[in-house]
Amino acid sequence: MELYELTIHELQAKLRAGETTAAEVTASVFRRIDAVEKDVRAYISLMRKSALAEAARAEEQLRKGEAGPLAGIPIALKDITCTKGYRTTCGSRVLDNFIPPYDATVVEKLRAAGAVFTGKTNMDEFAMGSSTETSHYGTTRNPWDLGRIPGGSSGGSAAAVAAGECIASLGSDTGGSIRQPAALCGVVGLKPTYGRVSRYGLIAFASSLDQIGPFTKDVEDCAIVMNVIAGYDPAESTSVPAEVPDYRGFLGRGVEGWTVGIPQEYFVAGIDPEVEAAVRRTITLLEGAGARCVEISLPHTRYCLAVYYIIAPAEACSNLARYDGVRFGFRAEGSRDLIDLYKKSRSAGFGAEVKRRIMLGTYALSSGYYDAYYKKASQVRALIKRDFDTAFASCDAILTPTTPTPAFKIGEKTDDPMQMYLSDIFTISANLAGIPGISVPCGFSAAGLPIGVQFLAGHFQEGRLIQIASAFEKLAPSEKRRPAL
Amino acid sequence: MEYEPVIGLEVHAQLLTDAKIFCGCSTKFGAAPNSHTCPICLGMPGVLPVLNKKVVEFMMKMALATNCRLNRGCLFARKNYFYPDLPKGYQISQYAQPPAEHGWVEVEIAGGKKRIGITRIHMEEDAGKLMHDEFSPVSRVDLNRTGVPLIEIVSEPDIRGAEEAAAYLRRLHETLVYLEICDGNMEEGSFRCDANVSLRPKGSETFGTRAELKNMNSFRNVQRALEYEIKRQQYLLEGGGSVVQETRLWDDTAGVSHPMRGKEEAHDYRYFPDPDLVPVVIDDAWVEAVRQTLPELPLERRERFVRDYQIPAYDAGVLTASRQLADYYEEVVRLSAEPKLASNWVMGEILRFLNEDKKEIRACPITPAALAELISLIKEGQISGKMAKEVVDQMYRTGAAPGAIIKEKGLVQITDEAALSATIAAVIAANPGQLAQYRAGKEKVFGFFVGQVMKATQGKANPQLINDLLKKMLAG
C-alpha cells in the first residue's frame, strides 16, 4: 500500500514509530498528484515547494518529540481560505491575481499543528454551485467516474481526498458545500456548528451560513482535524466561546439506546431509489446496533430552499461588492469613468452564476421588497430553526440522505439552475438552523457511484455526529472501496 | 403669506478612540496616506469586524448627556453603495434598532430657552478620502480614515431658523468636546453637519417638501447655507413654484448651493443587519458605570459659575466654552479666592494671548498657580494693575513666576509713606505755580501732580497712596 492511501491516524502511527518520514509521505502524495491530477483536476494551485519545507520542519518536530497532531500530514485547502503569500482565487477570475497578506485562522491552526499544505483546491466560483462547474479554472472530475461532477462547491477538496491527492482537506459549507461533495465522492465531510470553527480568512459567500469543515477518509480522521480547527476566535464576532471536547473521545462508543429521528419530509418523490435503499439500509444497521429510529416531522422543510435562495444571495451581493476593480483583483481596461470601471470589471470578472445571485440578492434587499423577501425569509428561518430545536428535544441525532441522487454527469444541470439548486435540498436546512451535519459513505449505486448518509445534531453536538458516524462506519466496513484511477 | 422654516440636522462626530471601530488600527489624523490600515479596514477578502467597546461607551456618554433613552440591544446594519473611498462596498452603520433614542438638548434663543429633540444617536464607521489632482487624470484614495468611529446624531425637525440651528450645533459641539469624545475640529472633518430644510405656512402642522443640504464645514457656513436655503425656498413658494426634494451642496465661496446630480443621490442603500456582527447588549449596570464617568456638562457648569462665583452669565459662558478653560479658571479661583479678578484676568489677558497665538488653554505657559499669585500680589497692593499687565506679559513670554519678574525688574510698588511723602514734597516744591492754581480752586491740576509723582517714582508708587498723600499735602 502506498503512503498516500493511508489515513491521518495510520500515518501518525508510522511517523511516530519512525517507519516513514514526513518527506516520504509528502513525496508520495505529490507523486499521486502527478499521476492523477490531469484527470481529476482537483487543484487550482499546488504548493509543492513550501510543502517540502513544511515536511522538513515537521520531520524536525517529530524527531524532537514536539510534533503537533498533524505533523507531516499533507492537507489541501479549498481556494476560499486565505493563505499569506499564496494566491487565493475563490474560483473566480476576479481574484485571479489576489495574494492575501494574511493567513486564515484555520490555516494558522493547521500550520501550528504541523500540517503540510499541498495546495489550493478547485471550487465553484465564490462557492456558488453544487458541481465545481462554475469555477473559472475548469471543472473538477469525480474520481469514481471522470465523466461526472464531484459535487460542489468544495468539489476539489472532496475529489482530492477521494483520489489520494492529499490525506485530508478543508472545505466550506454554506448550503451543503462540504456534505454534498463528500457524499458524491465517497468521503467523510463535516459541517460544524455555526460559530464553532473560525471564519476569519474564509472569503465570505453568505456570512450567516458559511462554515469551514474537514474532508477525511474516515471518521477518526474527521475527529483529529476537528480537534485542531475547532474553537473560539476573538477575531470573529460570531465565534462562540464554548469549550471544545476531544472529539476522538466520541469514537467507538456505539449508539445503544440512542433515538435517531427520520424526518418524513426528506424521503419524498424525486429521491433516487438506490439512494433511498442505501439510506434505509443504514437505518436497519443502526437499529441492529441498538438505536431506536423514529419517524419525525420537520414541517418547514419545504421552505428551506426558498429561504436559502433569498438569504444567501442577499448576503452575497453585499459581500461581493468589494470586488470593484479599485484596490485588488481583476480590473477591466479602457474604462471611461468610475461607473464604467465598476461595470466592466464586474461584468468580465464574475461568471454567470455569481451574477445571477448578485442580482437575486440585490432584488431581495431593494427598497419596497425587503419586507416581502429578506425579512420574511428571516422569519421563516427562525421557524426552521425551531423545527430542529423541537426535534432534538426528543432525538439524539437526525438521519437523512445527504443528496437526492449520486453524482450527475458534467454539463447535465448547467443550463437548469433550479435542478442544480435541488441537489442541495437535504443539506441547506442545517446551515439555516446553524446546526452541525456530517456526511458518511453508506454504499454505492449499481453504477459504482458513492452514496452518502447525513447525520444532524443540535448546536455544538459535533461529538454526537462523530459518535454515530463512527458507530455506523464500524457496522459497514465492507463499503471500503477505492476509485479506479 | 408668512412662512416658517422647519429644520432637522444630522451631525457626524468622529470619536476620539485610539483604535478604529472594527480593527486595531490607529485613528490618528495626518499620517502618511494608507499607513494606518490593515486587511480589515482595507476590506480584504475574508476579513471580519470586531467591535471596539470604547466606541459603544463614547456613544453612551453622548446619549446620556443629551437625555436619550439607551436601548438594551442594538444592531449593526450594512449600508450598501459603491464608491472608491468605501473598500467593502458597504458602510457598517446602524439602521433598525439604534442604541439611543428620544433625547433632547436645551438651547438659548432670543426670548428664552428651547428644547430641541434628538431622534436617535447611532454608531458607524467613517469612509476613506479621495484625493483628486486637477492636473492629473488620476485620483488617489487614502484609507487611513476608513473605520474611524463616528456617531451620528439626528435631531427632530424642531429647529425654526438658521440661528437656532447654529445654537443647537454649538450645544452639541461643546457637549462632545466636554465629554472628551470628539475633538470638534470642523476643518479636519471631526464634526460634520447635514441639514434637512423645508418651509410651511406659519401655523400649519404639515411639513413642506424638504431639501437636504451638505458640505457645510463651519458654524458660519451652516448658518449662511440655511439662511440662503430658507430664502431660496421662500422665493420659490411665493412665486407660485414648488420645492424639489433633492440634495444640495453648499458652495462657500460663491455663497450659494447647487443641486447634486441625480445619479449621485439616487441610492437604494439596501440596508440589512450585518451578519458578521452580533447584537450589542447594553445593560443597566453598564449604563450606570458610564453615567458615573460623565463630567459636569457645560450648561450646568455655567449656571454654577453664575451662582457660586457671582460672575455675569456672559463671563460664565466664555469661561465654560471648553472644559479645560473652565478647569483652568476654577483652579485660579481656588488658589486666589478672587472669582471676579480671576475671571477678568482669564477672559482678558490670558484669552487674548492664546487667541493671538492660536493656542489652546492647555498650552498656556502661565499656570493657574502663577496667575493666582499675580492676583494675590495685586490684591495685597504690592503691584498696580498697570504693572501687573506688564508682569503677565513677561509671564506668558518666559513662563517665569510673577514674584521673580517683579524682583528682577524692580517693579515692587512703593508703599513706604515716608519715602513717598518726601518725593511728593519735592514735586510740590518744584511746581509753585501749579500749587497756587490748585489752591485757587482749580482741582484739575491735581492730575498734573499725580503724573509728576508717577514720573518721579517711575510708576512704581501705589496710586491710592499717591492720591491720599497728595490730597493731604496739597491742602497744606
Side-chain angles (χ1 to χ4, degrees):
Chain A
M1 208 182 225
E2 296 286 335
L3 290 170
Y4 73 81
E5 294 177 275
L6 302 179
T7 61
I8 298 174
H9 54 94
E10 288 164 348
L11 287 169
Q12 275 178 340
K14 279 187 180 296
L15 286 164
R16 279 174 173 68
E19 290 167 27
T20 185
T21 65
E24 280 170 10
V25 175
T26 302
S28 170
V29 167
F30 274 99
R31 272 199 305 278
R32 176 66 173 172
I33 291 172
D34 291 338
V36 303
E37 176 61 8
K38 64 180 192 308
D39 295 326
V40 181
R41 302 179 193 175
Y43 287 95
I44 290 175
S45 323
L46 289 171
M47 298 162 77
R48 199 184 293 263
K49 212 171 150 190
S50 56
L52 294 175
E54 284 159 1
R57 204 191 50 183
E59 198 51 52
E60 180 82 20
Q61 289 165 343
L62 283 159
R63 244 203 319 274
K64 287 186 186 159
E66 297 165 356
L70 296 174
I73 306 296
I75 288 181
L77 299 167
K78 184 177 182 179
D79 207 17
I80 197 169
T81 21
C82 285
T83 39
K84 187 176 179 176
Y86 289 92
R87 184 172 80 138
T88 302
T89 69
C90 219
S92 182
R93 185 183 185 196
V94 152
L95 289 177
D96 187 53
N97 59 6
F98 177 62
I99 296 172
Y102 73 102
D103 271 330
T105 300
V106 287
V107 172
E108 281 179 356
K109 287 190 168 194
L110 289 174
R111 208 188 283 288
V116 172
F117 296 121
T118 53
K120 310 294 291 285
T121 60
N122 197 17
M123 55 182 285
D124 284 292
E125 184 179 11
F126 283 100
M128 297 177 188
S130 309
S131 65
T132 76
E133 289 168 295
T134 72
S135 171
H136 177 64
Y137 303 91
T139 304
T140 296
R141 278 85 170 278
N142 192 313
W144 297 90
D145 178 346
L146 295 175
R148 291 175 189 269
I149 56 93
S153 66
S154 315
S157 284
V161 173
E165 294 187 78
C166 61
I167 305 303
S169 64
L170 289 192
S172 69
D173 190 315
T174 305
S177 283
I178 290 174
R179 291 158 291 155
Q180 186 255 21
L184 303 191
C185 289
V187 296
V188 175
L190 172 75
K191 179 203 94 76
T193 308
Y194 185 76
R196 172 99 286 185
V197 175
S198 173
R199 291 190 291 122
Y200 191 81
L202 167 70
I203 298 180
F205 159 15
S207 311
S208 75
L209 302 161
D210 296 342
Q211 190 60 203
I212 291 173
F215 287 97
T216 54
K217 292 173 182 173
D218 66 11
V219 178
E220 184 170 351
D221 278 7
C222 178
I224 292 169
V225 178
M226 277 301 287
N227 277 350
V228 172
I229 64 172
Y232 175 64
D233 182 2
E236 183 201 332
S237 306
T238 49
S239 179
V240 178
E243 205 186 312
V244 181
D246 176 3
Y247 291 112
R248 293 183 82 159
F250 294 91
L251 297 164
R253 279 208 211 162
V255 287
E256 177 91 52
W258 275 41
T259 304
V260 178
I262 316 293
Q264 59 190 49
E265 292 84 359
Y266 285 67
F267 293 85
V268 286
I271 178 168
D272 182 280
E274 286 187 298
V275 170
E276 181 162 4
V279 173
R280 296 268 179 217
R281 212 161 45 237
T282 306
I283 296 172
T284 314
L285 283 170
L286 287 171
E287 282 178 328
R292 197 167 61 92
C293 294
V294 295
E295 188 165 278
I296 59 162
S297 175
L298 298 167
H300 296 92
T301 299
R302 65 197 177 100
Y303 302 113
C304 286
L305 203 65
V307 167
Y308 178 84
Y309 276 97
I310 289 167
I311 289 175
E315 293 180 3
C317 81
S318 174
N319 283 331
L320 270 59
R322 69 192 64 193
Y323 309 110
D324 57 6
V326 173
R327 294 163 312 280
F328 51 76
F330 176 76
R331 175 190 286 194
E333 295 298 322
S335 309
R336 288 188 311 276
D337 55 25
L338 182 63
I339 302 291
D340 199 41
L341 171 78
Y342 288 153
K343 279 188 180 165
K344 284 202 173 113
S345 299
R346 289 170 68 82
S347 296
F350 290 133
E353 183 60 29
V354 171
K355 285 182 209 165
R356 176 165 24 245
R357 299 207 197 185
I358 289 173
M359 285 188 276
L360 276 174
T362 304
Y363 182 82
L365 290 177
S366 296
S367 119
Y369 295 99
Y370 179 86
D371 286 356
Y373 292 105
Y374 187 82
K375 194 172 166 197
K376 180 66 79 184
S378 300
Q379 288 164 338
V380 179
R381 182 178 183 180
L383 296 176
I384 292 165
K385 208 178 273 179
R386 208 166 65 189
D387 280 358
F388 281 104
D389 291 343
T390 308
F392 289 123
S394 57
C395 298
D396 297 291
I398 288 173
L399 180 157
T400 79
T402 310
T403 59
T405 67
F408 45 90
K409 290 209 169 83
I410 291 170
E412 192 179 325
K413 297 185 180 178
T414 41
D415 294 333
D416 189 345
M418 200 54 209
Q419 276 306 308
M420 188 70 91
Y421 297 169
L422 281 168
S423 65
D424 290 332
I425 186 128
F426 299 142
T427 47
I428 277 172
S429 56
N431 300 82
L432 292 172
I435 57 170
I438 192 169
S439 179
V440 190
C442 71
F444 288 86
S445 70
L449 296 171
I451 295 167
V453 63
Q454 172 177 244
F455 298 112
L456 303 171
H459 291 100
F460 301 100
Q461 299 298 326
E462 286 82 0
R464 283 194 187 172
L465 295 182
I466 285 166
Q467 187 169 343
I468 191 169
S470 110
F472 169 66
E473 198 177 45
K474 256 204 185 114
L475 296 168
S478 60
E479 297 295 350
K480 287 217 168 179
R481 295 190 207 174
R482 280 170 210 287
L485 277 166
Chain B
M1 198 186 307
E2 203 183 334
Y3 288 100
E4 170 185 68
V6 176
I7 300 167
L9 297 179
E10 286 172 19
V11 167
H12 286 88
Q14 257 183 19
L15 300 181
L16 280 174
T17 54
D18 294 331
K20 292 185 178 181
I21 182 167
F22 297 122
C23 65
C25 288
S26 166
T27 56
K28 232 183 165 96
F29 183 83
N34 299 307
S35 59
H36 290 169
T37 58
C38 72
I40 297 171
C41 55
L42 290 175
M44 287 286 195
V47 297
L48 295 168
V50 175
L51 177 62
N52 178 350
K53 202 176 158 191
K54 261 263 149 11
V55 174
V56 185
E57 288 181 0
F58 280 17
M59 176 279 297
M60 287 164 75
K61 284 186 183 193
M62 189 57 179
L64 291 171
T66 54
N67 310 294
C68 285
R69 195 185 76 199
L70 278 161
N71 295 327
R72 286 190 70 88
C74 65
L75 295 176
F76 281 95
R78 292 186 185 177
K79 179 178 181 178
N80 295 283
Y81 64 95
F82 287 95
Y83 208 61
D85 66 4
L86 189 70
K88 297 189 297 299
Y90 59 84
Q91 178 196 27
I92 304 179
S93 178
Q94 300 195 284
Y95 189 60
Q97 298 187 42
E101 293 177 282
H102 312 298
W104 52 266
V105 292
E106 204 163 62
V107 297
E108 280 137 35
I109 52 162
K113 288 176 173 175
K114 178 177 173 176
R115 266 190 191 187
I116 310 266
I118 288 175
T119 314
R120 59 185 274 159
I121 300 179
H122 72 243
M123 301 170 273
E124 60 187 28
E125 57 179 348
D126 209 342
K129 253 185 214 161
L130 285 184
M131 294 180 288
H132 306 287
D133 178 352
E134 56 184 309
F135 303 110
S136 147
V138 179
S139 291
R140 297 175 194 283
V141 62
D142 175 7
L143 298 177
N144 282 349
R145 200 177 69 177
T146 307
V148 168
L150 296 175
I151 50 174
E152 182 175 330
I153 305 158
V154 183
S155 87
E156 290 286 301
D158 288 347
I159 300 162
R160 293 289 170 270
E163 228 165 287
E164 222 173 285
Y168 167 79
L169 279 183
R170 288 206 172 86
R171 170 72 72 248
L172 289 191
H173 186 268
E174 71 177 8
T175 305
L176 288 162
V177 173
Y178 248 73
L179 292 169
E180 293 177 338
I181 59 175
C182 173
D183 68 19
N185 191 325
M186 289 180 90
E187 276 164 29
E188 287 173 9
S190 314
F191 184 89
R192 291 169 248 163
C193 171
D194 299 334
N196 285 301
V197 188
S198 64
L199 255 53
R200 67 181 174 193
K202 202 155 185 149
S204 164
E205 287 294 309
T206 53
F207 294 127
T209 308
R210 67 188 161 84
E212 193 183 353
L213 282 175
K214 284 181 182 287
N215 199 37
M216 306 168 287
N217 56 5
S218 70
F219 291 118
R220 188 172 141 272
N221 271 344
V222 172
Q223 200 164 336
R224 283 177 70 208
L226 287 172
E227 278 161 4
Y228 174 86
E229 183 58 23
I230 291 165
K231 277 200 196 117
R232 188 186 71 88
Q233 292 192 14
Q234 193 166 356
Y235 178 79
L236 280 172
L237 295 173
E238 282 172 350
S242 56
V243 175
V244 181
Q245 186 167 340
E246 63 187 356
T247 303
R248 302 178 66 86
L249 289 182
W250 174 248
D251 180 341
D252 183 36
T253 326
V256 296
S257 65
H258 297 291
M260 269 173 100
R261 276 177 295 139
K263 209 160 66 176
E264 287 170 356
E265 61 166 323
H267 280 311
D268 177 354
Y269 292 121
R270 292 172 285 132
Y271 281 102
F272 75 107
D274 191 331
D276 286 331
L277 288 159
V278 290
V280 182
V281 177
I282 298 171
D283 59 19
D284 294 346
W286 197 8
V287 173
E288 272 322 299
V290 170
R291 199 193 298 278
Q292 294 306 318
T293 69
L294 289 188
E296 185 183 24
L297 292 170
L299 203 60
E300 301 162 22
R301 201 165 192 180
R302 204 157 296 162
E303 283 166 4
R304 182 168 61 81
F305 277 18
V306 171
R307 197 175 58 238
D308 293 359
Y309 300 143
Q310 305 281 312
I311 57 173
Y314 174 80
D315 295 16
V318 172
L319 291 170
T320 53
S322 86
R323 189 165 153 188
Q324 284 72 29
L325 182 62
D327 288 347
Y328 184 96
Y329 166 70
E330 287 213 274
E331 185 64 5
V332 177
V333 172
R334 192 179 68 81
L335 296 168
S336 68
E338 282 293 329
K340 185 60 199 164
L341 272 177
S343 160
N344 289 347
W345 280 93
V346 173
M347 285 175 62
E349 303 306 301
I350 301 289
L351 283 185
R352 185 172 58 78
F353 292 145
L354 296 175
N355 284 342
E356 278 168 5
D357 288 358
K358 295 196 162 39
K359 265 191 187 165
E360 297 278 331
I361 186 72
R362 67 184 91 202
C364 182
I366 301 174
T367 63
L371 187 61
E373 190 189 333
L374 183 70
I375 289 170
S376 299
L377 290 171
I378 300 166
K379 208 169 61 180
E380 291 160 9
Q382 295 226 31
I383 52 169
S384 66
K386 200 173 159 219
M387 283 177 187
K389 289 208 171 160
E390 212 182 311
V391 173
V392 84
D393 200 69
Q394 281 290 313
M395 287 164 73
Y396 184 77
R397 273 188 280 125
T398 64
I405 295 168
I406 288 164
K407 208 169 184 187
E408 186 200 308
K409 298 210 147 195
L411 281 174
V412 180
Q413 195 161 243
I414 298 169
T415 49
D416 180 344
E417 262 196 59
L420 195 56
S421 297
T423 310
I424 292 172
V427 167
I428 293 174
N431 297 285
Q434 280 82 355
L435 178 68
Q437 286 181 8
Y438 180 80
R439 290 199 173 153
K442 213 171 172 192
E443 293 201 0
K444 265 190 184 167
V445 184
F446 187 76
F448 165 79
F449 281 106
V450 172
Q452 290 301 307
V453 175
M454 278 292 194
K455 204 171 160 189
T457 58
Q458 289 164 312
K460 288 181 198 166
N462 182 327
Q464 194 57 50
L465 196 58
I466 298 178
N467 276 355
D468 295 349
L469 289 175
L470 250 183
K471 256 186 200 147
K472 222 179 339 175
M473 292 169 74
L474 284 171

